[in-house]
Amino acid sequence: QVLSAFVVKDHAESRVVHQLAERAGVGRVTVITQREVERALDVSSGAAPRAHTTVLDVLACDNVAVRNTLVDQAKVEKVILVESREAAHRVMFDARRPPPRTVKDA
């Protein structure tokens, strides 16, 4: 649901998005209010190990508010990319080797 949400900086912008959606007949839209910031969130202490490529690693996002929203709401720094569903299952559920502590999903 985060990928289809609108990110705004305040309640006034949220109202505008809802009004535009209503006028366009879109129905309910998800609006996330994210205060305006200049710096990306530091995820170094909670991100997946560098041995794994994460969604955040491959994400092309030049808007800090959008990036921070994806980190905050979807934990993209903890979702690793793997070759296949079978590989994901091995990483997440192998009884001999538990997944890295900071990995949320594969």
Side-chain angles (χ1 to χ4, degrees):
Q1 192 172 14
V2 173
L3 292 179
S4 62
F6 292 89
V7 178
V8 299
K9 67 180 177 185
D10 57 32
H11 185 67
E13 284 189 359
S14 177
R15 279 196 318 266
V16 170
V17 169
H18 283 291
Q19 289 168 351
L20 290 170
E22 187 177 316
R23 253 190 265 156
V26 174
R28 290 190 68 92
V29 293
T30 301
V31 178
I32 300 170
T33 303
Q34 178 75 262
R35 63 184 169 83
E36 205 165 350
V37 293
E38 294 178 18
R39 272 191 298 212
L41 292 172
D42 178 10
V43 298
S44 58
S45 66
R50 296 302 315 154
H52 298 284
T53 301
T54 67
V55 171
L56 183 59
D57 292 332
V58 299
L59 189 65
C61 183
D62 60 356
N63 186 302
V64 176
V66 171
R67 180 196 180 275
N68 287 349
T69 298
L70 291 169
V71 166
D72 184 48
Q73 300 287 320
K75 307 292 184 232
V76 293
E77 79 283 9
K78 297 176 183 283
V79 178
I80 61 172
L81 301 173
V82 293
E83 296 287 325
S84 65
R85 181 180 295 271
E86 292 79 22
H89 193 271
R90 280 194 305 274
V91 169
M92 298 305 292
F93 303 112
D94 187 340
R96 295 168 293 170
R97 186 181 58 202
R101 167 183 69 75
T102 54
V103 172
K104 174 186 167 210
D105 208 349

